[in-house]
Amino acid sequence: MPRENGDKRPGAWARRAVDRLLADRAAERPTPLHAFPLAGPGGTALYLKDESRRPTGSLKHGPARDLFIDALRRGRIDRDTPLYEATSGNMAVAQAHFARLLDLEYTAVVPERTGPAKRRRIESRGGRVHPVDPPLAVYERAGELARTHGGHYLDHLQQVGRAIDFASPSSLGAEILGDLERLGEPDPAWIVLGAGTGATSAAVGRALRRRGSGTRLAVVDPENSAYFPGWASGVRDYTTGMPSRIEGIGRPRMEPAFDPDLVDLVIPVPDAASVAAMRHLHAVTGVLAGPSSGSCLWGACQVLDRMRRDGAGGPVVLIVGDGGEAYHDTYYDDSWSTGRGLDLAGPLRVLRRFTETGDWTPGGPS
């Protein structure tokens, strides 16, 4: 952002920065809503809300911008404040983008084992990468760097839940309802999404309640993650101590932003099913998505099967969290999947049968 020589009053630069980010949000076009072809009984429909089409390629784009707006309004960021974050994924890419927009220095503190492709994605947006070991030291190190250099630790895991503006007309929940209304469809019967920080499910849930919508919210959860067992047992601080293998979703602990009271169903998804469904999604629709979108497709199929068995109707919307371009050498690579013990053949048969016939029978005959 140009460093103007005009208003020098305290907070003037921060106010201009907030105005710049709000204008950026207002100018952003809604992401596409794609229909997924379904066989079987009528009365239901499946749509993909493609958040990979955000300017930085993922669902994290809007929450990252809201984090900046919140920190600016609270006086945590000024024109010369260096920014730090502990993440190597899509949130770091989005934050680096907005830091560059405001002409601010940005450093992502990442595990030493973070691959070169991930590092390049952050650096391509103007960010710096600061590797540390062991991996769990990233949080302490990001805070330490911010204190040492007079900067601000964005700390998305703790702060993003309150920062997201769920009441905005351009929020994800509002966009989905508007998309379906323009198609002449009713509010969705279900929205299916994943949980990383848990902030997106909370924001969508609050937007639905504010609207008075009867839409129900399903969260998909990969192996090793804490959200399903924590939600099922009612233990809000549940921990597994194990990392998720599905990029973008799943956490070893229930994060503060996740609100189980806003979630109607949490669906555990095997990792092999997530990867298989990601590939099936691309084969059927041409949408090249990341593995969290595969988790959402697997969960959406279960929801649709449940609706049909109950005689219910209406649209179901799943969230495509990010694009698949960054995963060509991992989740889209057969040798990578095989090396991690992921047998995709069974889940792919289940998905093909459901798409072609409407029959959902995981574990049944091929």
Side-chain angles (χ1 to χ4, degrees):
M1 191 172 79
R3 298 189 174 225
E4 302 170 11
N5 295 319
D7 192 347
K8 299 290 184 67
R9 290 175 297 175
W13 181 89
R15 288 191 291 274
R16 290 197 301 272
V18 169
D19 289 344
R20 177 71 181 275
L21 294 173
L22 290 174
D24 180 81
R25 184 168 72 184
E28 191 174 323
R29 296 176 61 83
T31 54
L33 190 72
H34 307 293
F36 186 95
L38 286 179
T44 57
L46 178 60
Y47 292 97
L48 320 173
K49 181 62 171 170
D50 190 359
E51 292 293 286
S52 75
R53 301 290 294 276
R54 294 291 175 193
T56 53
S58 85
L59 175 69
K60 303 297 185 182
H61 186 80
R65 180 172 47 213
D66 286 348
L67 265 175
F68 274 63
I69 292 171
D70 179 66
L72 286 159
R73 285 173 168 166
R74 291 190 294 117
R76 301 294 192 267
I77 301 175
D78 209 333
R79 68 169 72 232
D80 296 313
T81 306
L83 304 177
Y84 299 88
E85 182 60 284
T87 182
S88 60
N90 289 318
M91 178 60 80
V93 176
Q95 288 180 351
H97 167 85
F98 288 112
R100 183 163 64 180
L101 184 68
L102 301 179
D103 198 22
L104 295 169
E105 293 183 5
Y106 175 82
T107 301
V109 181
V110 306
E112 180 73 48
R113 66 190 182 194
T114 301
K118 275 192 167 185
R119 298 188 189 200
R120 285 195 298 270
R121 290 183 67 216
I122 298 167
E123 292 165 346
S124 71
R125 298 284 177 172
R128 300 173 181 172
V129 173
H130 182 96
V132 300
D133 193 62
L136 288 178
V138 294
Y139 309 106
E140 182 179 351
R141 184 61 175 152
E144 181 183 276
L145 286 169
R147 291 189 297 272
T148 301
H149 298 286
H152 175 60
Y153 174 24
L154 289 159
D155 195 6
H156 74 287
L157 289 177
Q158 294 291 327
Q159 304 299 331
V160 72
R162 74 172 183 185
I164 292 181
D165 185 2
F166 70 89
S168 166
S170 60
S171 72
L172 179 57
E175 267 198 27
I176 291 170
L177 298 180
D179 289 342
L180 288 173
E181 186 176 7
R182 284 188 289 275
L183 291 174
E185 290 269 29
D187 285 358
W190 287 87
I191 293 175
V192 183
L193 43 70
T197 65
T200 299
S201 63
V204 171
R206 292 183 183 116
L208 294 173
R209 290 195 176 190
R210 185 172 185 268
R211 166 82 172 249
S213 172
T215 300
R216 302 176 76 183
L217 193 61
V219 169
V220 293
D221 202 36
E223 294 175 26
N224 300 335
S225 178
Y227 289 118
F228 171 69
W231 176 82
S233 64
V235 179
R236 288 177 177 258
D237 60 352
Y238 196 98
T239 63
T240 66
M242 296 183 290
S244 166
R245 293 193 296 179
I246 301 302
E247 185 81 19
I249 62 171
R251 295 289 298 168
R253 67 179 186 184
M254 297 268 279
E255 295 295 345
F258 181 75
D259 188 345
D261 295 333
L262 295 170
V263 175
D264 296 286
L265 181 66
V266 179
I267 304 171
V269 179
D271 290 346
S274 293
V275 178
M278 171 197 74
R279 297 188 186 189
H280 183 69
L281 178 66
H282 181 232
V284 171
T285 68
V287 174
L288 187 68
S292 67
S293 304
S295 307
C296 289
L297 177 57
W298 187 265
C301 292
Q302 292 192 43
V303 166
L304 285 159
D305 177 64
R306 173 176 169 173
M307 289 172 62
R308 289 169 170 177
R309 286 187 286 106
D310 292 345
V316 173
V317 177
L318 71 84
I319 308 302
V320 174
D322 66 350
E325 295 81 5
Y327 307 116
H328 281 299
D329 297 331
T330 52
Y331 298 97
Y332 281 99
D333 183 81
D334 288 340
S335 60
W336 184 92
S337 300
T338 302
R340 282 152 183 80
L342 299 175
D343 184 356
L344 309 187
L348 281 171
R349 283 194 297 269
V350 171
L351 290 159
R352 289 168 183 152
R353 183 169 55 240
F354 182 73
T355 303
E356 293 167 4
T357 70
D359 175 34
W360 180 257
T361 52
S366 60

